[in-house]
Amino acid sequence: MDLQTLQQQCLACRRCSLCETRTHVVFGQGAADAEVLFVGEGPGANEDAQGLPFVGRSGQLLDHYLEAVDLSREKNVYIANIVKCRPPQNRDPLPEESAACLPWLRQQFQLLRPKIIVCLGRVAAQQLIKPGFSVTKNHGKFFDKNGTLFTATYHPAALLRNPGNKITAFGDFVALRDKIAQVCEHTY
């Protein structure tokens, strides 16, 4: 199976009640050979409308940070979410919604085989790194899980609400660039 086949299957997903209110499934976007996978919690209104991850104001901020460290969704990263459909009123995904959707993310992971996974925000970090994970305390640190490095940083939407954390988040992206230089095969 390849990403395109998996995406076609995901577009028809009806595993949880989020399918009832979605406009589009937001499968993911990026380079199929990406060694770095960014994972957010779930699509917002702009993402649901367009069917693409991180396309609103927070996506513009994310793209700005990526560009600053020579990364982009077009050439060398892949961006996905824990849940593929928008939770109403942008609430956190419910445990049963995350559980229903995580198999899609696991299959994306198996096809991409990234060397580094960057969790954008608390929800993604608590799902993928460990329950109770605190982004404020552990952002920018790397954790090895079965040969894949995981890290977390502030969600771009949180940075828009609390701009005082933007410098700290940028430091996390600089640390990511340095880690990529150490562990990834491609030179970015």
Side-chain angles (χ1 to χ4, degrees):
M1 182 180 308
D2 62 10
L3 275 174
Q4 191 172 18
T5 304
L6 181 64
Q7 181 173 3
Q8 290 308 309
Q9 292 175 1
C10 185
L11 293 178
C13 182
R14 302 197 56 78
R15 294 179 183 171
C16 78
S17 61
L18 291 179
C19 71
E20 304 297 329
T21 56
R22 73 178 178 223
T23 304
H24 289 103
V25 172
V26 181
F27 179 73
Q29 180 186 36
D33 63 346
E35 293 181 294
V36 181
L37 171 62
F38 285 81
V39 180
E41 65 189 60
N46 291 312
E47 292 74 18
D48 182 50
Q50 296 182 44
L52 296 170
F54 289 90
V55 292
R57 286 181 53 227
S58 64
Q60 292 169 4
L61 180 59
L62 176 60
D63 287 343
H64 176 71
Y65 280 122
L66 292 173
E67 184 181 317
V69 294
D70 298 320
L71 298 174
S72 82
R73 54 178 99 202
E74 289 80 24
K75 62 180 182 171
N76 54 18
V77 301
Y78 197 90
I79 302 172
N81 284 299
I82 297 291
V83 296
K84 309 298 185 194
C85 299
R86 179 182 184 223
Q89 289 80 48
N90 287 346
R91 66 163 166 73
D92 288 352
L94 299 175
E96 59 270 20
E97 294 162 349
S98 295
C101 228
L102 274 171
W104 295 117
L105 184 62
R106 283 190 194 101
Q107 288 180 284
Q108 285 175 303
F109 174 82
Q110 289 170 352
L111 292 169
L112 291 165
R113 306 307 286 160
K115 297 224 173 21
I116 301 173
I117 294 179
V118 181
C119 298
L120 296 169
R122 169 188 56 82
V123 173
Q126 289 181 352
Q127 284 284 324
L128 301 180
I129 298 175
K130 70 176 181 180
F133 187 93
S134 169
V135 173
T136 11
K137 292 179 185 168
N138 294 303
H139 67 88
K141 296 178 185 172
F142 289 86
F143 304 87
D144 188 321
K145 294 179 75 176
N146 300 318
T148 302
L149 293 176
F150 285 75
T151 188
T153 190
Y154 294 93
H155 192 286
L159 295 174
L160 292 173
R161 289 189 304 272
N162 300 301
N165 289 330
K166 285 183 176 181
I167 292 171
T168 303
F170 183 72
D172 295 342
F173 278 80
V174 171
L176 171 64
R177 181 189 61 201
D178 295 344
K179 189 60 77 173
I180 288 169
Q182 292 174 8
V183 302
C184 291
E185 295 169 18
H186 296 101
T187 308
Y188 296 122

